[in-house]
Amino acid sequence: MRTIEPDEIDLLATGAWILGAGGGGNPYLAGLNLRTLYETGTRVSLIDPMELADDDAVALVSSMGAPLVGRERLSDPRFAVKPLVAMQKYLGREVRAVMSGEIGGTNALQPLMVAAVTGLPVVDADAMGRAFPETQMSSFAIDELPMLPLVLADIRDTELIIPRAESPKWMERIARKALTEMGSVAATCKAPRTGREVKDHAILHSTTKAIRIGRTVHEARRRHDDPIAALVEAEKGAVLFRGKVHDVSRRATEGFLRGTVRIEGLDGDRGASLELAFQNEFAAAWRDGEVQVTTPEIICVMDSVSGEAIGTEMIRYGQRVSVVVLPVPDFFLTQRALAATGPRAFGYDFDFRTVLAGRGQ
Amino acid sequence: MKRIGIDVGGTNTDAALIVDGKVVKGVKTPTTEDVLGGVRTVLGLVLDGEGAAGLDGVMIGTTHFTNAVVQRRGLNKVSALRIGLPSGASLPPFVDWPKDLAGLVRGTVHMVRGGHEYDGRPLVPMDRDAIREAAGHISEAGVRSVAVSAVFSPLTNECEVEAAEILRRENPDLHVTLSSELGRIGLLERENVALLNACLQDLAHKTTRAFVDALRDSGIQAPLYLTQNDGTIMRAEVAEAFPVYCFASGPTNSMRGAAFLSGVEDGVVVDVGGTTSDIGYLKAGFPREANSTVEIGGVRTLFRMPDLLSIGLGGGTEIAADTQAIGPGSVGYRLTREALVFGGRQLTATDIAVAAGVADIGDRSKVAGLPKAMVEATLRRMREMIAEGMDRMKTEAGDLPLLAVGGGSFLIPDTVEGASEVVRVEHHAIANAVGAGIAQVSGEVDRILSGMGRDRALETAAAEARARAVASGAEERTLKTVEAEDLPLAYLSGDTLRVRVRVVGDIAANARRPERSVA
């Protein structure tokens, strides 16, 4: 167990935002909350999953909803704690630590906010290794661990506990409906995992990975090197396309932000165009009509100059961007995981594809 | 076609007389403390022998408001009213502001219940009593300017508009800035823009008055425009309420002026003023627009701005006598009183340049006694700052032309690492006045369209924006779409979209009194 240092909050926010694949919500506000808490002397501890006892209970805390909404209805640590308190009361037991279900985007920092208020440590792991739009895309769900009960807390004085559901898909459907009513953002706490389950089924050391990615980008910027080149080199990714955003189409449906982005090529990609489809996160990329990369591979759109990741809710006409592909953890390339997170799970009629070499297509 | 472009910088006030697309005269005079004197002087100089007859317009660009924020001067107290509880309580207004600036302008801060959901439903009923109570506290505190923000106000501004009515009922003299008039989705950044706008109200009023008086004193009948961040113009009486829209007009004008004067359309423009150097990337004659949040005086904002890097180095930059630290303080418009070469007592960047023999300004003998090694080391460090700044703005590894402009451009050497050449353009010292003089007209449409599908909605809005630009005096064939976006409004029936399209173009030669359209 170690203390997360003050300078690591910004690094984690940068790394988590990149791993968000365009979704997951910009962690800036969660980071701002943490910095405010750190200024008053609060510190958060990070615990290695291997330090957990097999029968420890670990609560999965997150914020659920459309990223755009989070930019208006700002996150608040006291609100983030509400579903954990309700969960402990419902189960009649205390948890040993908290962890993130999703290292991509603002949910990477959600357990830190809860930890800052409660004093519990944060487990260095998550269940996605990136951001995904739905709970059944997590490693815990794919490995068929029981996902219930689920607690949702609304900003108003409303809490919802789903003790039972036919399947994770059903839990997600019911939760989504409730979420929409709550204004497309809610604080959640998912079924606590045992220490053993975390060790066997989580994506391990992903908080450390996100901090590392943040450090790569920040250090490249400080050296005036190209942060995008530094990122793809360090994380074994690739630059898929460089260009200018030409058209963005968005629609908010069933609590998701769906849409497409068309990018006209610049530099080496001049004359070509790239189309991206997103459902909260970027899900697939077509170059001149040909599928190049699909989910679950991590597709990020970054400002070509600053290397700042650009979210699907903020991408706009005229931006100069680089589309980057980073490898998703190998767990997600198994047939079983691809069934839950591959393009067909998003309604596309084609199979997983990637431009990264040696990744079993 | 006869126009005067004026740039009121922190140090100098410049003017350019542009007749039929040619710069026929350029003049420069120190900015005066009251602004008015300097503007009156340049108008006198530029119109000397010409007369004010037949003038189509006077376009003024000014960095006055930006300098005020950066230097924390001339700002009025502002109260913040945010409508959005129970959300966002842990991140109150001013939360991410630099502490010194917040300490200077923060009046009272009020957070009340209300705001909207993304789908247009109320978040919770707006707490009107709390707003009335806030109005009382604001009056008691003697604050006269307030910024109002509400959750999801870019989608529906009902809460902000009603709150403004309540505030004005309680206190009719209060100046109210609504965040929905200035910013985009992103509560904190939009609120920050509104707060900055609100803390500049006194200065904006005073400055615009000075401009109007200067024109009147000079016998000019032509309309007065202020230039905006994107290189377009706004009637002065409209511009006065929105000083934040003038924030980057100085650098934008200087970049567009540099491109116009040099004929170089792609490169890096380094504009060395009196207080700062602004470095921007020029592509096809236009500044690259900032993709993400832009910090102004350390405050995070998100609105239409050129992508600029501002470094604290200008002709008036103070050099500490003991440590030789460069800036960030500047004597600004007091250069001709306080710099050594003008008989003052403050060592400045200009003094170093004169001592090193790269500039010939004022009385050279006054800096003859400066140690040679110190002069050379300081000049080298200033040049390194410029080279590094240029490097940070480049998108590619290759060398690009550097366009050296501004009154302090003598600080830029003839060779700069990373620059294919250093281009010094004619009239370079008044590039921003030229840029103001060639400013364009815009047309904007921001409205809710339904039942026609996205493509047709965008086409409809674009056609209307073009018509508005033409009505405002733009040449139709020069119109370009600079912004086109749609936001879905899921709570309304059918396919309802909020569509925003903005076009800009050159002023048509026959347009006598162009007016800015208000969407």
Side-chain angles (χ1 to χ4, degrees), chain A residues 28 33 72-73 156 248, chain B residues 90 117 123 152 190 454:
Chain A
Y28 173 76
N33 269 309
E72 288 289 321
R73 283 177 50 176
R156 285 145 293 219
V248 182
Chain B
S90 64
E117 299 279 21
L123 187 63
F152 275 114
R190 183 174 71 251
R454 179 172 174 267

Side-chain angles (χ1 to χ4, degrees), chain A residues 143-222:
Chain A
D143 284 349
E144 295 175 355
L145 300 184
M147 301 299 286
L148 293 156
L150 170 71
V151 180
L152 267 73
D154 179 28
I155 190 78
R156 285 145 293 219
D157 194 18
T158 303
E159 284 163 4
L160 173 74
I161 300 176
I162 304 179
R164 203 171 161 72
E166 165 83 11
S167 64
K169 186 96 193 166
W170 269 103
M171 180 190 83
E172 182 78 18
R173 281 170 79 167
I174 301 297
R176 281 282 157 196
K177 287 289 178 201
L179 178 73
T180 307
E181 285 308 303
M182 291 175 178
S184 272
V185 65
T188 74
C189 181
K190 295 186 179 108
R193 302 267 70 105
T194 65
R196 187 73 253 157
E197 286 171 335
V198 171
K199 287 179 249 185
D200 290 346
H201 303 283
I203 306 301
L204 302 179
H205 305 120
S206 46
T207 308
T208 297
K209 177 181 175 178
I211 293 173
R212 181 182 74 215
I213 288 177
R215 201 182 297 279
T216 300
V217 170
H218 283 226
E219 284 182 357
R221 268 188 216 145
R222 194 158 42 239

Side-chain angles (χ1 to χ4, degrees), chain B residues 171-441:
Chain B
N171 183 351
D173 297 330
L174 203 58
H175 189 280
V176 184
T177 298
L178 303 186
S179 81
S180 54
E181 290 183 320
L182 297 166
R184 301 167 176 162
I185 294 280
L187 176 65
L188 220 47
E189 296 86 351
R190 183 174 71 251
E191 181 176 82
N192 284 346
V193 176
L195 288 167
L196 285 173
N197 195 67
C199 76
L200 286 163
Q201 285 308 310
D202 287 356
L203 191 66
H205 181 72
K206 218 172 84 185
T207 308
T208 312
R209 263 314 91 211
F211 292 158
V212 169
D213 291 349
L215 258 65
R216 189 201 52 218
D217 295 352
S218 307
I220 294 172
Q221 306 283 320
L224 170 66
Y225 302 90
L226 295 193
T227 67
Q228 302 180 76
N229 297 332
D230 61 355
T232 68
I233 49 181
M234 205 175 356
R235 293 292 286 249
E237 55 272 28
V238 183
E240 185 182 325
F242 302 107
V244 291
Y245 277 149
C246 300
F247 265 163
S249 63
T252 297
N253 289 339
S254 120
M255 290 176 71
R256 298 203 64 243
F260 177 83
L261 291 165
S262 66
V264 176
E265 300 237 299
D266 298 284
V268 173
V269 179
V270 182
D271 180 5
V272 188
T275 306
T276 59
S277 293
D278 292 313
I279 304 173
Y281 190 98
L282 198 62
K283 193 112 189 159
F286 276 86
R288 181 175 64 203
E289 194 174 317
N291 277 353
S292 42
T293 53
V294 173
E295 287 196 1
I296 296 152
V299 180
R300 200 177 132 100
T301 68
L302 184 64
F303 67 130
R304 198 174 47 240
M305 291 281 276
D307 195 4
L308 282 176
L309 177 70
S310 202
I311 58 175
L313 177 65
T317 292
E318 295 165 10
I319 313 293
D322 44 358
T323 60
Q324 277 96 55
I326 300 170
S330 169
V331 297
Y333 61 84
R334 303 184 309 274
L335 181 75
T336 53
R337 285 207 307 272
E338 299 189 7
L340 299 184
V341 289
F342 292 108
R345 309 171 66 141
Q346 176 64 49
L347 178 62
T348 66
T350 296
D351 297 314
I352 296 289
V354 172
V358 298
D360 188 11
I361 298 165
D363 182 353
R364 194 172 200 150
S365 68
K366 305 258 196 220
V367 291
L370 292 176
K372 196 161 183 270
M374 183 277 282
V375 167
E376 278 173 5
T378 308
L379 185 71
R380 192 167 56 241
R381 279 190 295 129
M382 293 193 296
R383 289 174 164 183
E384 279 165 9
M385 286 170 76
I386 290 167
E388 191 196 306
M390 172 171 180
D391 190 48
R392 281 173 59 183
M393 286 306 287
K394 283 204 299 195
T395 43
E396 293 136 40
D399 288 356
L400 282 167
L402 183 159
L403 279 61
V405 297
S409 61
F410 52 78
L411 292 176
I412 303 172
D414 286 330
T415 54
V416 175
E417 199 189 321
S420 56
E421 56 178 327
V422 173
V423 183
R424 296 183 195 275
V425 295
E426 198 192 354
H427 302 298
H428 75 87
I430 54 154
N432 29 22
V434 172
I438 60 163
Q440 296 183 306
V441 183

Side-chain angles (χ1 to χ4, degrees), chain A residues 1 47-48 51-53 55-59 84 88 93-99 119-123 192-193 195:
Chain A
M1 192 139 77
I47 182 170
D48 191 293
E51 291 177 52
L52 293 170
D55 60 352
D56 278 343
V58 177
L84 171 65
Q88 295 189 132
R93 78 177 282 203
E94 304 275 298
V95 301
R96 163 80 177 87
V98 290
M99 73 177 264
L120 292 168
V122 173
V123 179
R193 302 267 70 105

Side-chain angles (χ1 to χ4, degrees), chain B residues 4 6 32 34-45 47-48 51-52 55 58 60 206-222 224:
Chain B
I4 295 175
I6 297 179
T32 53
D34 66 350
V35 176
L36 180 123
V39 174
R40 206 161 38 197
T41 306
V42 282
L43 282 172
L45 291 170
L47 289 174
D48 185 33
L55 209 53
V58 177
I60 300 185
K206 218 172 84 185
T207 308
T208 312
R209 263 314 91 211
F211 292 158
V212 169
D213 291 349
L215 258 65
R216 189 201 52 218
D217 295 352
S218 307
I220 294 172
Q221 306 283 320
L224 170 66

Side-chain angles (χ1 to χ4, degrees), chain B residues 52-113:
Chain B
L55 209 53
D56 294 278
V58 177
M59 287 79 178
I60 300 185
T62 180
T63 53
H64 214 56
F65 306 127
T66 325
N67 289 348
V69 174
V70 172
Q71 299 175 359
R72 279 80 163 122
R73 283 198 320 205
L75 306 173
N76 54 264
K77 286 264 183 205
V78 48
S79 287
L81 172 64
R82 186 200 285 169
I83 307 156
L85 290 182
S87 78
S90 64
L91 300 174
F94 294 104
V95 66
D96 59 351
W97 280 46
K99 291 193 167 46
D100 65 327
L101 184 57
L104 201 62
V105 306
R106 181 169 45 209
T108 54
V109 172
H110 313 273
M111 292 196 277
V112 306
R113 291 172 68 86

